[in-house]
Amino acid sequence: MSPTSLVRRLRLRLGLPRRMFAQVLLMQVAIAAGVAVLATGLFLAPLSDQLDDQAMRRALSIAQTTAAQPRIATDLTTTPATASGPVQREAERIRAATRAEYVVVMDRRGVRWSHPTASEIGRLVSTDPGRALAGHEVMQIDDGTLGRTARGKVPLRDEEGRIVGAVSVGIAYDSVRARLLHAIPGLFAYAGGALAVGALAAWLISRRLQRQTRDLAFSDISALLAEREAMLHGIREGVVALDRTGRIRLLNDEARRLLGLGDEAVGRSLDEALGTGRTADVLAGRVTGTDLLTVRGQRVLVANRMPTDDGGAVATLRDRTELEQLGRELDSTRGLIDALRAQDHEHANRMHTLLGLLELEMYDDAVEFVGEVVGDHRATSEEVAEKIQDPLLAALLVGKATVAAERGVALRLSERTGLPDRLVDPQGLVTVVGNLVDNALDAVAATPHARVEVELRAEGRAVTLVVRDTGPGIPVEQRELIFTEGWSTKQRPAHRERGIGLSLVRRLTERQGGTARVDEAAGGGAEFTVVLPEALTEPAPAPAEPVAAHTVAEEESR
């Protein structure tokens, strides 16, 4: 049998409550009762000694007061020890006034001159009076002829200070015990009151705990915690939990992956962990809304934020990078399909034209017509390949030129364009060029004399990209907003979000230490400029030219 099942069976057998509220209440009441019993015991333990000490000091005080009367010393030395003597009368008066058990006056031989029992007068005392007769004051609990008493003994001196005897006073020990027993009920009453207050406080705390834990059992809470850990680390959405001050208190595995954070981020604020930017603003709630887009590194994320009852919040993150890429590929595919459809229509028109020329036996005109058609397409491809030596970028621009022609836009390369095949990150530059060209084509579509110009030039290891269009341009107040995630003036398509392309352009550019800005083009429209200072690798050293054989022979003959 496992320890867990054994504890469960024992708890059921003992009748222990299952709910956490009841268990906590029971434990707190038990603790309060234990503390009350312990405090009572700790108080009673020294109380008996304190009462004994008080009784002995009272007896000593009475003895000191008695010995301080000079008449008693004089009567002790001048009168006989009789039951009717002045010493007995004075001692009995003091005993009655102080309610002492006895007041005994003795001479230096230890013979009693006073005693509550008259027959004891003239006899030796039952305990040794040596210390008192030696000049010391004595306090003790001892047994005598009258039973157990708390005693105080002091020396008795005459007017010249000589010790002529001693005075012994006793307090009945039964009265001391009676005081102790009399104090116990009151002490128990106080302990019971403290226990009742503690039980009430325990009940109030347990009720609050019951409301906060929703009356769950410890086993239920343990199971919920286990399920929470499994859920948080098993789901494919990132979860970020924040406290009321905006500090990160939980990150699941997917959130760490999407945000690029580690364990050190827990306990830090969002601005410290993520840096300033839209991602931190969205998670902190400074940007409101649902399904908010943000870019972290090369990832496109969709964030939602939900506040919690304690003033914190829980944010969820979904990775839309692949969906955005698929959306862009779908847009490109649709563009290519439209271009192919147009080319098919145009190709059919050309075939019909060529067929008519052949049927009319205008063979020279047919040859010239075919040459012009093939030459135009070849000229475009050759111009791109000559100026753009990177194959990926060249293929992209050739495809974009075809799509632009179908949309009635003239896509041209600037005369200053020249890019060697030494790109450090061709894919990144393809993304930047593709986004800027797509935006330019969208801007000039359906405008007269639409034109887009692309300029790519290398200066050392730096690459400068300029994309100009003849569209309406971008107002000055919006030139920074267009690079913000989720901001767009275009209608949102059904398959993806808007406001991502230019944000990715700036993010990719800044990751390589470059800059991206937009200005007004010379002839109107927009002009986007991207500068990448470390986009090219160092050129390979030129191989040394071989020395001609006859030149070597001539040098040797000399």
Side-chain angles (χ1 to χ4, degrees):
M1 182 182 298
S2 65
T4 304
S5 59
L6 181 61
V7 171
R8 187 176 301 168
R9 291 185 59 182
L10 181 62
R11 184 180 65 185
L12 293 176
R13 182 175 299 177
L14 295 177
L16 295 178
R18 180 173 178 270
R19 296 293 178 185
M20 184 176 66
F21 156 74
Q23 290 187 31
V24 171
L25 177 60
L26 182 62
M27 288 187 291
Q28 288 181 326
V29 171
I31 292 173
V35 170
V37 171
L38 179 61
T40 303
L42 292 177
F43 184 80
L44 285 176
L47 180 60
S48 176
D49 294 336
Q50 290 177 1
L51 293 176
D52 289 348
D53 184 72
Q54 289 177 4
M56 289 187 294
R57 289 185 181 279
R58 180 167 170 257
L60 182 65
S61 177
I62 297 173
Q64 290 172 341
T65 303
T66 303
Q69 298 184 22
R71 259 184 80 182
I72 294 181
T74 302
D75 293 339
L76 179 67
T77 57
T78 58
T79 60
T82 60
S84 59
V87 175
Q88 170 70 0
R89 290 195 303 271
E90 184 65 18
E92 286 299 300
R93 185 187 67 81
I94 295 174
R95 183 180 69 83
T98 58
R99 296 183 181 180
E101 182 71 12
Y102 63 84
V103 176
V104 175
V105 180
M106 69 191 78
D107 61 13
R108 290 187 60 82
R109 295 172 300 171
V111 176
R112 301 187 187 98
W113 288 66
S114 66
H115 196 277
T117 304
S119 60
E120 295 292 330
I121 297 175
R123 296 182 180 181
L124 293 175
V125 296
S126 59
T127 58
D128 182 19
R131 293 192 62 195
L133 294 174
H136 301 288
E137 294 182 348
V138 179
M139 292 190 308
Q140 61 184 11
I141 303 292
D142 205 352
D143 295 323
T145 57
L146 298 177
R148 191 171 182 83
T149 56
R151 302 182 179 186
K153 297 179 181 181
V154 296
L156 179 64
R157 301 177 186 272
D158 59 12
E159 293 179 354
E160 296 179 358
R162 293 175 298 182
I163 298 177
V164 296
V167 177
S168 176
V169 176
I171 304 295
Y173 196 74
D174 290 340
S175 64
V176 177
R177 185 178 301 170
R179 289 180 61 191
L180 177 63
L181 296 177
H182 179 72
I184 291 177
L187 184 61
F188 282 164
Y190 285 118
L195 178 60
V197 172
L200 178 60
W203 183 80
L204 294 175
I205 293 174
S206 300
R207 284 290 297 173
R208 181 179 180 185
L209 184 63
Q210 181 184 28
R211 290 192 300 268
Q212 291 181 341
T213 59
R214 304 189 181 181
D215 200 21
L216 294 175
F218 279 113
S219 58
D220 297 333
I221 294 177
S222 178
L224 285 175
L225 289 175
E227 293 170 1
R228 167 182 173 271
E229 289 298 316
M231 179 185 67
L232 285 176
H233 298 289
I235 61 176
R236 297 299 298 169
E237 287 193 0
V239 178
V240 181
L242 308 171
D243 61 16
R244 65 178 60 190
T245 62
R247 295 186 177 275
I248 299 173
R249 62 184 177 189
L250 184 142
L251 283 169
N252 72 340
D253 296 339
E254 185 67 6
R256 296 172 193 267
R257 184 182 71 86
L258 295 177
L259 297 175
L261 299 177
D263 295 336
E264 71 281 354
V266 178
R268 301 169 63 186
S269 66
L270 288 170
D271 292 333
E272 292 175 354
L274 300 175
T276 57
R278 179 176 171 82
T279 303
D281 293 338
V282 169
L283 296 182
R286 293 188 287 265
V287 178
T288 59
T290 58
D291 292 338
L292 297 173
L293 286 175
T294 182
V295 176
R296 179 71 177 173
Q298 290 185 332
R299 300 186 183 278
V300 179
L301 307 177
V302 177
N304 285 282
R305 188 177 187 274
M306 178 65 67
T308 56
D309 294 337
D310 61 353
V314 174
T316 59
L317 300 168
R318 286 173 290 160
D319 190 356
R320 289 184 62 98
T321 306
E322 296 182 359
L323 183 59
E324 288 294 325
Q325 291 176 350
L326 291 175
R328 293 183 179 279
E329 291 178 5
L330 178 59
D331 288 342
S332 300
T333 303
R334 286 180 174 177
L336 290 175
I337 291 174
D338 292 339
L340 290 174
R341 186 182 297 110
Q343 285 186 353
D344 179 65
H345 185 268
E346 185 179 359
H347 180 69
N349 291 334
R350 290 172 179 172
M351 289 297 100
H352 293 157
T353 303
L354 180 61
L355 179 61
L357 292 174
L358 293 176
E359 288 180 351
L360 295 174
E361 297 181 355
M362 300 173 65
Y363 303 114
D364 294 336
D365 293 334
V367 172
E368 183 179 358
F369 176 73
V370 172
E372 289 178 356
V373 172
V374 175
D376 290 342
H377 182 72
R378 182 180 299 169
T380 302
S381 301
E382 289 179 352
E383 179 188 7
V384 173
E386 180 182 356
K387 294 182 177 182
I388 306 296
Q389 297 181 14
D390 183 81
L392 289 177
L393 202 53
L396 172 71
L397 291 174
V398 170
K400 295 296 183 184
T402 303
V403 175
E406 162 59 19
R407 300 178 66 176
V409 180
L411 177 62
R412 297 288 182 264
L413 291 179
S414 171
E415 295 180 356
R416 301 177 61 188
T417 296
L419 187 67
D421 187 13
R422 293 187 286 109
L423 289 175
V424 174
D425 183 15
Q427 292 286 354
L429 189 56
V430 164
T431 300
V432 173
V433 174
N435 278 292
L436 292 181
V437 171
D438 286 342
N439 286 341
L441 293 178
D442 291 339
V444 301
T447 61
H449 309 293
R451 182 171 58 86
V452 175
E453 183 180 63
V454 178
E455 178 180 333
L456 273 163
R457 64 179 186 272
E459 299 173 357
R461 293 188 59 187
V463 170
T464 301
L465 166 65
V466 180
V467 178
R468 305 180 185 90
D469 62 62
T470 58
I474 298 174
V476 176
E477 64 274 9
Q478 296 181 358
R479 290 180 184 175
E480 282 299 319
L481 292 176
I482 61 174
F483 292 104
T484 305
E485 296 99 323
W487 192 93
S488 178
T489 59
K490 303 174 186 177
Q491 185 178 1
R492 178 183 180 273
H495 58 276
R496 65 183 180 91
E497 300 285 347
R498 285 288 190 184
I500 297 298
L502 291 178
S503 174
L504 285 175
V505 167
R506 172 161 282 186
R507 192 62 60 89
L508 291 172
T509 302
E510 291 178 347
R511 190 184 65 178
Q512 299 186 23
T515 59
R517 69 177 189 275
V518 59
D519 300 299
E520 184 178 357
E527 179 179 290
F528 285 84
T529 303
V530 174
V531 179
L532 302 174
E534 302 289 336
L536 297 177
T537 59
E538 293 289 347
E545 296 183 359
V547 182
H550 65 84
T551 304
V552 176
E554 290 178 359
E555 291 293 334
E556 291 178 353
S557 64
R558 293 178 184 176

